[in-house]
Amino acid sequence: MKKVLWQELRRTEFEEAVKADAIIIIPVASTEQHGNHLPINTDANCCSTIAQRAAQAIDEFPVLVLPMVWTGFSPHHMEHPGTITLKYHTFVELLTQIATCVHTHGFKKILFLNGHGGNTPIISAMRIKLSAEEGISAVGYDYWNISPATEEMEAVSETDRGFIGHAGELETSLQLYLQPHLVDMDSAAWTSGVCGNPSVGSRQKGERIVNAAVGALVKMLRDYHSGKLEEGLTIWRPDVSDEQKNQFRYPRYSGD
Ligand SMILES: [Zn+2]
């Protein structure tokens, strides 16, 4: 298997990756309570696994995955044991400095792949700050919010209607597939700190979701490398069609 982990490369290999216009994935998640039945590394494990599998699946250009940013913004989980959160400005500054270092080494394509809902608005805002104050453009997505993975989650879901939730049906399924030895299904029930219905999680659902998320991320990375993604994001340009604008509409919202 080729090397996709940033920390395994030598200096000369970074120079080659810059020449090949590599995409750098910064996986960002959390260390936080996930009910009584899931490990606290659930978000980090899902996010880093999906990032690494997508990077491995692409041969046309290099994709490198940074070491996981294992703590994020989780003050709302601190009432339960195990949670490690950063303060708001510390988190923003941490992400800014990591991305700035990556950019300083010559990489122009940077993706924040997020695995924790509490990080989502902060990553969106810090990307604007990063662009305005450092002149660095980066894209950012939640792994569950990349089409067509989102549609697959809706199809797989029996009770949580495709909503990633928190320690509910979908995250429980993901962990039954990725880290079954760390899941205690005897205590998989709703309790404070759980959003969704963990009892209907299954390994099969988890495998389908991971495969869909990896496939969607691969497609997005190819579009990012070719320039198609950023063209679509430039929605204020007069030459971008309504169809393209709709394709990249964000954030997603479904009122049903
Ligand atoms: Zn989670």
Side-chain angles (χ1 to χ4, degrees), residues 30 32-34 38 42-44 46 115-117 143 164-167 171:
S30 68
E32 66 187 26
Q33 70 82 26
H34 271 74
L38 295 183
T42 292
D43 293 352
C46 295
H116 165 52
Y143 75 75
I164 189 70
H166 183 79
E171 282 194 329

Side-chain angles (χ1 to χ4, degrees), residues 88-197:
Y88 177 89
H89 289 289
T90 311
F91 184 43
V92 170
E93 195 55 28
L94 177 75
L95 297 180
T96 302
Q97 292 184 20
I98 291 172
T100 303
C101 289
V102 168
H103 189 265
T104 298
H105 295 307
F107 296 103
K108 299 287 183 278
K109 292 191 167 69
I110 300 171
L111 162 68
F112 290 100
L113 186 69
N114 179 40
H116 165 52
N119 295 343
T120 304
I122 300 174
I123 293 174
S124 292
M126 73 72 56
R127 284 174 41 236
I128 297 172
K129 178 178 174 290
L130 188 68
S131 172
E133 296 179 6
E134 313 293 336
I136 298 169
S137 95
V139 295
Y141 289 93
D142 306 321
Y143 75 75
W144 59 85
N145 215 0
I146 304 173
S147 185
T150 317
E151 290 78 356
E152 178 73 352
M153 282 166 50
E154 284 164 6
V156 162
S157 176
E158 286 176 74
T159 61
D160 291 354
R161 298 192 299 170
F163 175 49
I164 189 70
H166 183 79
E169 178 182 9
L170 297 184
E171 282 194 329
T172 302
S173 298
L174 287 164
Q175 290 294 283
L176 284 170
Y177 171 53
L178 296 174
Q179 304 190 110
H181 58 293
L182 300 181
V183 181
D184 175 16
M185 282 307 280
D186 290 339
S187 56
W190 184 88
T191 183
S192 167
V194 168
C195 179
N197 179 1

Side-chain angles (χ1 to χ4, degrees), residues 244-256:
Q244 281 174 298
K245 288 175 187 170
N246 281 333
Q247 196 180 343
F248 291 100
R249 193 171 44 199
Y250 184 81
R252 289 180 87 259
Y253 172 72
S254 165
D256 57 4

